[in-house]
Structures are given as C-alpha cells and as structure tokens.
Amino acid sequence: MDDQNKNLILATVLSFAVIMAWTVLFPPEDQPIDIAAEATVSADVSALPGTTTTTSTATAPAEAEVAAAPAPRIQIRTADLEGSLSLRGGRIDDLSLTQYHETIDPDSEIVQLLRPEGEAGAYYTAFGWAASEGIDAANVPTPDTVWTLESGDVLTDQTPVTLSWDNGAGQVFRTEISVDDEFMFSFAQSIENNADTAISARPYGLIRRHGIPADLKKFFILHEGLVRMTDGALEETDYKDIQDYDIDPKEGVPAERLEASESGWVGFTDHYWMTTLIPTQDAPFRSTSKYYESRDLFQAEAVMPVASIAAGQTYTNTTRFFAGAKEWETIKHYEDEEGVGGFLDSIDWGMFFFLTKPIFWLLHTLHGLIGNMGWAIIALTVILKAIVLPLAYKSYVSMARMKELQPEMEKLKEQSGDDRQALQQGMMKLYKENKVSPASGCLPMLLQIPIFFSLYKVIFVTIELRHTAWIGWINDLSAPDPSSIFNLFGLLPFAVPDLGPLQLLSLGILPIFLGVSMWLQQRLNPAPTDPTQQMIFAWMPWVFMFMLGNFASGLVLYWIANNVITFTQQYLIMRSHGAKPDVFGNIKSSMRRKKKTAAEDDK
C-alpha cells in the first residue's frame, strides 16, 4: 500500500467517524415535558414508610397548589448560595448559585438549581423519619410536616438553624441545618424520646425531581440523571432508564434498591450542577432510585439503619447534602479532606477516564500557571504532541523514506499494469528491502483519535471551561466561535440571527483557520495522481471546517494548534532525512491542476 492509499483510508475512516459523531452529538431536539399536563395523582406519592399517602382524583396542578400552600421560610445566604428553605418538611427548595450566570452577560440571571413544588421543574430535598417499632407512622415527621423554627434566623456558613416538631406523644424531633462556605449542607436529625418506652425509627433523606429537566442536553458524551456510589461501585442511570425500572414489590413503583454496607452517596447530576445525599461514610444505608409515573416524579433516597432510642434518651444522625456546581477542586476537597469516597467520579469522565482525568488535571494545572484557559489548551497541545513525538518521528521518517521510493514505485506500477496482485507483491518486497513500514504512519493517528475525543469530553463536561474567555471575540471556550462570515466577522453592523439547520454555514474565524491549517498540512506532500483521491483530499479540509464549525471553541483551538505543530514536526523531520517538502510548489501544482480540470470541463 503506497502512502497516498494509506492516507486515503485514514482520511475516509476519520471523516466517517466525525460524521457519525456529529449525528449523535447534535440530534433533533425533543419537545420539553409539560409537567402540568399530568392528569391525575394516585396513592403512589408515598415515598417511604412513615410518609403520608395521598389519594385524590384532582388534577396535577390542583395537587401542586395544595403542596405549595404557604409556610414560613428561612433565608439562605452564603458567598456561593442564596435562596430559602421552607418549614414545610424542612425542604431546601429554593436555591441559586450566585457565582454562575445563565449566559456570559454578567447582568443575566444567576443559575437557579432548586425550585419549590408547584413551579415548573420543581426540584428539592427533604428529610424525615420512617416509624419502625413503638411509634405510629402518624407520629413521625414527613416531607410535608410543618416544622417550628427553634433557633437561628438566617442560614449562613456561620449561623445554623434548628427546626423542631413535637408529635404530642412523647417525642420531640429536631433538625439542625448548617452549610459550609461552598455547597455542602448538613442535616443533623435527632429524636428526643420523653416517653416511658423505647421506640425505633429510620432517618432518611430524599431528593425529588418533577419531570425530566427541560434543558437536558441529550448528548451521548454526557451523563444526566441518577448518579450514585455504593461501596465503591459507580452507577449512572439515565432518566429514561429510571422510567423503565421493574416495579419493586416493596416500593410498589418502578424502583431499584441497593444496600451499601459501609459507604456511598446518591443523587441527580446535570451538565454542570448536582445534588447528592451523603450519609455517614462508615455506616450502612439503603440507596433507592424510583419513579412515580402518575406524577412524573423521580426520587433518590438514602435510608439509614433503624435506630433504637430508649426512654429518656436522644439519638442523632447526620446526613450531608451537596447542592451546587461540579467544580473539580471543590469536589476533590470533599473527597480528599472530608471523606466522601469516590466523589470525583460524580464528574462524568466517561469510558476513557484513564485519559480524561489526567488530561483535565494537566489542563487545570496549566490554567493555574498561565491564567488563561485558551493558552492553557495550546500549552496542553504542545505537551501532548511531545508525548507522542517518538511515534510521530517514526511515522514521518517512514514517510520520508517512502518519498524516496516513489520513483521505484512508479516503475512497479508501469511494469505490473493491471495486475494488482503483482503490484502489491512488488511493493511489499520493496518495503521489506528498504526497511520501510507503511503502517507506521497509522500509529500517531490511532493515538490521536482517543486523545481528541477525551479532550472533547473534558471541554464539554467540565464546568471550568464554561463561560471562560481566551482572547478578543472568544469569550466562551465551551461554546462555538461566536463570529460569523455572514456579517464579515462583526465588521458589518448587524447580528446574525439563529439560522437553525443552516447554522452550519455560519462559519467563524477559528473554524476557517482550522480548514486552512489542514489544507496547508496537506501541501507538505504532492497531490495524488488518482482523480478520486485528488477530489477527496481537495474537499477534506473544508468538510472538516464546516463539520467542526459548531464545536466548542476550545476543541477547535486544540485542533488548530495540533495541525500547526504537526506541520512543523513533519516538515523538520522530513528535511532532516533528505526529503524536501515543496509546500509552495505543491500549492502551485494544485492550482494548475484545478485550472486544467476547469478547462477540460469547458471543452
């Protein structure tokens, strides 16, 4: 196989891979689910033993209004969080992230993570108790119990609040809620048993999410849905798969129970945000994921072991609740310093985790040193190219030697004529005698593909690149280049509207640089003589330019830097081995060939 045929196969395979990736990455958008369209509410709203069971023929909006009946609220204020908690169930159901905005405009709305029941996309956490022995189910607090504020005024990272509820049967329940200076809440649930007999109950925490999020990305490269760790085993379950659970006889609804013997956590993850229940890490608990079809409600639960409380005794259980951004340093702190085992795996590193984790660490470290994420991506590219340089060196040396064999290969073609088998045998003999391996050129490309997709994963998934600027017009490396050829990259005084499916044609500056860099890289070698190969090679840079035009700017920047470094490496290595790439001559030759073809077409 000569080097042109080898490159043809590689180009075809890579082009096909990118086309398939594009199709999967950018599927048609589905219509968001209308939560208010649910027709009825049935008895399956009961979340756990000890919670109330509601049977009603009312419509979902009417039921939501009952659930959202006014109850006193306590303000939440920290440097990173603002919102309020409701005394109904002690729910944290109103929470926004003060350091994150919906768009790159600093005046845009801050990101709202949690919403109370009754609003579209309701999403909240609540804690309660499940009665076991010596106490009736009606005498334990549920997610709908209205608590009394016993102490505290505003929940901050310096001032916790304590809620209490007296069941009138001899037990006083308290929940002390605190929050740190980042995104971690703590719920210390206690029972003071003033009765004459012992009781037993199970503390629990739950996260409820009404409906599939309307802003679901639905990209195969990103997991959104349930995420949980159970004794070191990570599980990621999409919302559709939760809906397809088998009905659990103990729960009465589609559910999946897991028993953690010593550690774990459970919650829901979005693109950049997450909520997670984290029980005490040296004790067993039951992790449950379930779905209530009649209400289109997803629920994650952490149910702790049964606690026995003797007469006159008090029992306390503490469960942590993470609600915030999936910042690498923050989550790493909770894993390393606060004992949340495997918490870094809540970030979706994917099947190439052995590449994505070190790539992100290196990128994050470079960003810390350089102070600019765009230049950090370029520096990362240089380092990655240096790592694969030994393979690239062998590849380029092999290509240089194959160039030297080009005259002899042409003679073989003339001698063999139409006998393809004789041609192949002669070429293999020629390669063997000159110790040239045509396959060696495949190795850098094969290694580059997983690196490319791993870096794409890192850029797309990690919040550190969200709304991060590089230079000039590139103000968000996680988004496509905002410039457009349709207004001459901002020189014309109008903005380009959303073109829908035709957005592919709205090229920015970076994608054009990408196409040019690929085209120049091709010019290191003369164009193949075969017309079909000529056509494929002529179109490939511009096809890639359009296909990658709507990818994240950070990824396009990486690809451009990779092309420039590859061009430089190949040119210098080929020159050092006697080959003299005639870039300008190849450009002129391709121009003359195009003119000749056009003249022949006119005839």
Side-chain angles (χ1 to χ4, degrees), residues 183-219:
F183 304 118
M184 190 72 80
F185 294 84
S186 291
F187 285 74
Q189 300 170 265
S190 66
I191 300 179
E192 180 184 331
N193 184 15
N194 298 318
D196 296 332
T197 58
I199 65 169
S200 59
R202 302 185 72 164
Y204 66 82
L206 59 83
I207 302 171
R208 283 180 175 170
R209 187 158 213 171
H210 291 246
I212 296 176
D215 60 350
L216 208 66
K217 298 297 187 295
K218 298 181 181 179
F219 285 4

Side-chain angles (χ1 to χ4, degrees), residues 326-496:
K326 294 188 290 186
E327 300 169 349
W328 183 81
E329 284 192 352
T330 300
I331 293 179
K332 188 174 186 297
H333 164 75
Y334 289 129
E335 178 175 314
D336 294 345
E337 306 299 327
E338 300 196 15
V340 185
F343 208 35
L344 267 176
D345 288 334
S346 61
I347 300 174
D348 182 18
W349 301 109
M351 63 181 297
F352 289 119
F353 64 90
F354 52 88
L355 289 176
T356 51
K357 283 186 175 182
I359 284 176
F360 175 79
W361 174 85
L362 182 55
L363 180 62
H364 186 73
T365 302
L366 291 170
H367 180 224
L369 294 173
I370 299 172
N372 181 289
M373 187 60 80
W375 296 117
I377 290 174
I378 294 175
L380 173 68
T381 310
V382 173
I383 293 173
L384 292 177
K385 293 296 289 184
I387 292 174
V388 300
L389 181 59
L391 285 175
Y393 183 84
K394 291 181 179 179
S395 171
Y396 300 145
V397 168
S398 178
M399 292 176 66
R401 290 177 178 174
M402 290 180 71
K403 288 295 178 187
E404 297 173 359
L405 299 177
Q406 196 68 31
E408 295 185 51
M409 292 170 64
E410 292 297 329
K411 291 180 181 179
L412 276 175
K413 291 179 182 179
E414 294 177 2
Q415 295 172 0
S416 302
D418 296 332
D419 190 344
R420 302 293 298 177
Q421 183 175 358
L423 175 61
Q424 291 296 329
Q425 290 175 347
M427 290 175 63
M428 293 305 296
K429 182 180 179 181
L430 188 63
Y431 292 150
K432 186 176 181 179
E433 291 175 349
N434 290 273
K435 298 181 180 181
V436 173
S437 174
S440 64
C442 301
L443 294 177
M445 182 64 71
L446 292 176
L447 187 59
Q448 183 66 24
I449 291 174
I451 291 176
F452 172 81
F453 281 107
S454 296
L455 185 62
Y456 179 78
K457 178 87 170 178
V458 166
I459 290 173
F460 185 81
V461 168
T462 56
I463 195 171
E464 282 73 11
L465 280 92
R466 181 181 186 266
H467 297 175
T468 302
W470 176 37
I471 57 172
W473 75 104
I474 303 297
N475 47 27
D476 186 358
L477 286 165
S478 69
D481 187 333
S483 62
S484 174
I485 196 172
F486 289 138
N487 65 356
L488 296 182
F489 314 112
L491 295 178
L492 298 180
F494 62 84
V496 178

